Amino acid sequence: MLDLGKFLRLQCRNLTNFDANPARLERHEGPGWVRGIDLNGEGSMQEQIFFDGPGRNGLQPSAAATSSDGGLPVFPVQHFSIHGRVFTATDPGLQLALASIHDDAERPRCLCVAGGVEMYVARHRKYVVKRMPETGKDHHPSCPSYEPDAALSGLGELVGEAVLEPEPGRVELRVDFPWTRTQGHALPRGEISEPAEITVPRRRMSLRAVMHFLFERAGFNRWTPAMAGKRNQGVLCKYLLAAAADIDVKGIPLAERLYVPEPFQESTKADAAQRRREKLAILQPRDGHAPLALVIGEFKACDRAEHACRIWIRHMPDAPLLMPTKSWERLARVHASLLEARDADTERRIRLMIAALIRARRELTYEIDSASLMLASDQWIPLEGGHECPLIDALVGQERRFLKPLRYDAPQGGVFPNALLLDGGATPIPLHIVSAFAGAKERTAKEKAVAKGECWAWRTEQPMPALPSPAA
């Protein structure tokens, strides 16, 4: 535990001695995992790993670990001011300090910017520091609690109507799809009459928007150099399920209805299959109602037949999802550009993610009720289209820190930046791509967005300009 003056002196002293390469100031074990050091009362350093929760808005200590690359210890991303003293996430006194203000008006402050940003304390198994609602943009872009203004992505149109926070840390999503199908005959129609009242329509999230929300909350739309090589199917499964743990849909915890395939291994495939059957046992019909579940995974292939198709998802080689051939043809027609993007001449592979609502067609046979597709980079960063691949590859290759705004259900994606550069200074730098293949409406929307203010822009019929330099 340090007073503020001693903390600042230690920071200045150690920043003078440490390598200034930004890639060495942070270590990530997939989304949310950050390696840093603990500064105790003597100013000694001990490397730790701690978890920054789904959406990067909580912080709690975990077990100690040593650096796998032999690099120097580095500072943790966040420090908190409590009662005028500064605590690191691994400080032994942090839990007592948080307990002392848990039921108080006193709030911890994140010290990522001058004056700090107010946060709040929640209690799960331990006390956790979390971001206050609508304060993400007040944090420094390099801070794990930073989130851009919601207006910079399609999320802005949904917050307050389709995305609600009934209590801190708990999110309710209002969606346009059901959790249950009712079996039986349709109700008989009577005479059409004038309605007695008019209901104002409310925004509802589509399957694509829910997939975007999960990827953003799990941190897959954010990138730092130390994440390279740390993302795989196991990380995808773990963090999407962790993100779903705090989300309710139609009064049901999303984690209860979400299945993400485990990494497939021949030696453990029987155990994995048994866990899948146990998870999807919720699809058993009850009292004339057929429950639905949500499967998110990487689309692999479609085996077409006359009446039905078998949809294969990577890491599920023993359990295809069935889909009527006509339904697949409609899906393929709507998402033709995404399916074609998998064959694009890109430097790295493009993943095609599928979000499928499924039901039990018969015992242990799963049928797709509805589905949506989304492109992602080889590092599972969501993409709006193949035109974003060169920019994402350049950002990753140059070891930059950035965030990918997602479209959700917005009618035009061109109004949003294609990426936000987080290492260019105290404010994020919007990066825009004006594609030569964009439709007239999309290109007009993008040109208007570029003309609004200072940003970086690349018109794809020309060579890509140099990216803004990292801040010193």
Side-chain angles (χ1 to χ4, degrees):
M1 186 165 58
L2 304 171
D3 60 40
L4 186 57
K6 186 175 181 181
F7 164 73
L8 292 175
R9 288 195 298 274
L10 282 168
Q11 290 281 57
C12 292
R13 184 181 69 195
N14 285 287
L15 284 174
T16 302
N17 298 328
F18 273 52
D19 185 347
N21 181 359
R24 300 188 67 178
L25 297 180
E26 197 171 281
R27 302 278 189 260
H28 283 257
E29 304 291 334
W33 287 96
V34 183
R35 183 173 285 123
I37 61 167
D38 172 37
L39 301 179
N40 62 26
E42 289 73 42
S44 64
M45 304 177 190
Q46 180 183 8
E47 196 168 18
Q48 302 282 338
I49 288 181
F50 50 89
F51 176 59
D52 185 21
R56 304 164 306 283
N57 61 358
L59 205 58
Q60 56 193 22
S62 182
T66 57
S67 174
S68 60
D69 58 4
L72 293 172
V74 290
F75 289 105
V77 176
Q78 285 180 300
H79 290 76
F80 304 103
S81 173
I82 303 172
H83 292 311
R85 293 184 176 273
V86 174
F87 295 82
T88 66
T90 52
D91 195 312
L94 178 60
Q95 285 295 306
L96 286 176
L98 296 178
S100 71
I101 62 172
H102 181 243
D103 297 318
D104 245 6
E106 172 86 8
R107 293 191 183 277
R109 301 187 75 84
C110 175
L111 299 178
C112 63
V113 295
V117 182
E118 193 174 76
M119 303 186 79
Y120 75 93
V121 180
R123 184 171 186 180
H124 300 292
R125 285 170 296 180
K126 294 183 178 182
Y127 291 100
V128 181
V129 185
K130 292 197 171 186
R131 184 180 62 237
M132 296 285 288
E134 300 181 8
T135 62
K137 63 183 181 298
D138 299 331
H139 291 262
H140 192 276
S142 63
C143 179
S145 291
Y146 171 79
E147 291 290 349
D149 192 322
L152 292 176
S153 74
L155 183 60
E157 298 180 353
L158 301 172
V159 172
E161 286 195 48
V163 180
L164 307 173
E165 191 170 2
E167 59 183 81
R170 195 82 202 163
V171 177
E172 177 187 341
L173 302 184
R174 295 181 176 176
V175 299
D176 65 2
F177 54 83
W179 268 144
T180 304
R181 290 293 187 191
T182 303
Q183 301 170 330
H185 300 287
L187 293 175
R189 293 187 177 183
E191 291 187 12
I192 298 176
S193 60
E194 289 294 327
E197 59 187 30
I198 301 298
T199 303
V200 178
R202 302 291 183 186
R203 291 186 184 273
R204 294 291 186 268
M205 299 176 75
S206 68
L207 264 180
R208 179 181 68 180
V210 172
M211 182 160 49
H212 280 184
F213 188 79
L214 278 170
F215 269 71
E216 180 165 349
R217 193 168 175 83
F220 285 101
N221 70 324
R222 183 184 291 252
W223 182 260
T224 68
M227 289 179 181
K230 303 291 179 64
R231 292 184 176 182
N232 51 47
Q233 182 66 26
V235 170
L236 181 78
C237 176
K238 175 178 179 178
Y239 285 95
L240 288 183
L241 290 173
D246 297 323
I247 299 174
D248 293 326
V249 176
K250 297 182 182 292
I252 297 174
L254 179 56
E256 292 183 8
R257 298 291 185 96
L258 175 64
Y259 177 74
V260 182
E262 300 178 28
F264 178 79
Q265 296 180 9
E266 188 69 31
S267 60
T268 59
K269 66 177 183 180
D271 292 337
Q274 180 59 32
R275 286 190 290 270
R276 180 182 62 241
R277 287 190 287 268
E278 291 172 356
K279 177 79 173 185
L280 297 181
I282 197 169
L283 299 178
Q284 291 289 332
R286 294 179 182 85
D287 302 323
H289 297 281
L292 303 180
L294 175 61
V295 176
I296 294 182
E298 183 179 353
F299 173 83
K300 183 178 181 180
C302 170
D303 289 343
R304 301 178 60 151
E306 184 177 353
H307 300 295
C309 296
R310 291 192 296 176
I311 309 300
W312 297 98
I313 295 178
R314 292 190 186 275
H315 300 278
M316 282 180 60
D318 51 347
L321 306 180
L322 304 181
M323 190 174 194
T325 301
K326 289 185 178 179
S327 297
W328 166 255
E329 290 173 349
R330 289 197 301 271
L331 182 70
R333 189 165 54 249
V334 170
H335 295 291
S337 61
L338 306 189
L339 289 162
E340 293 168 2
R342 294 202 306 162
D343 299 320
D345 185 11
T346 55
E347 183 177 348
R348 295 179 178 85
R349 67 178 290 196
I350 297 179
R351 300 181 189 273
L352 183 60
M353 308 303 295
I354 183 170
L357 276 178
I358 65 170
R359 56 185 172 184
R361 182 171 180 172
R362 294 183 182 86
E363 288 80 0
L364 303 177
T365 305
Y366 312 120
E367 182 179 43
I368 294 178
D369 184 89
S370 56
S372 183
L373 302 178
M374 176 188 80
L375 291 180
S377 74
D378 63 329
Q379 297 288 346
W380 282 276
I381 300 169
L383 301 174
E384 180 65 21
H387 63 287
E388 292 182 331
C389 288
L391 173 60
I392 298 300
D393 289 346
L395 290 168
V396 171
Q398 295 179 29
E399 299 187 342
R400 305 303 298 271
R401 289 166 168 76
F402 65 93
L403 184 145
K404 177 70 179 70
L406 304 181
R407 180 176 176 178
Y408 288 82
D409 287 325
Q412 296 291 334
V415 299
F416 310 121
N418 295 91
L420 287 173
L421 201 55
L422 302 181
D423 59 8
T427 57
I429 301 174
L431 308 179
H432 288 277
I433 302 174
V434 186
S435 173
F437 291 93
K441 288 185 178 179
E442 190 77 9
R443 191 177 179 96
T444 299
K446 181 60 73 176
E447 292 286 6
K448 287 182 178 179
V450 169
K452 278 185 178 179
E454 294 185 5
C455 66
W456 176 94
W458 171 39
R459 290 168 174 80
T460 59
E461 60 268 27
Q462 303 171 4
M464 184 189 298
L467 291 165
S469 300

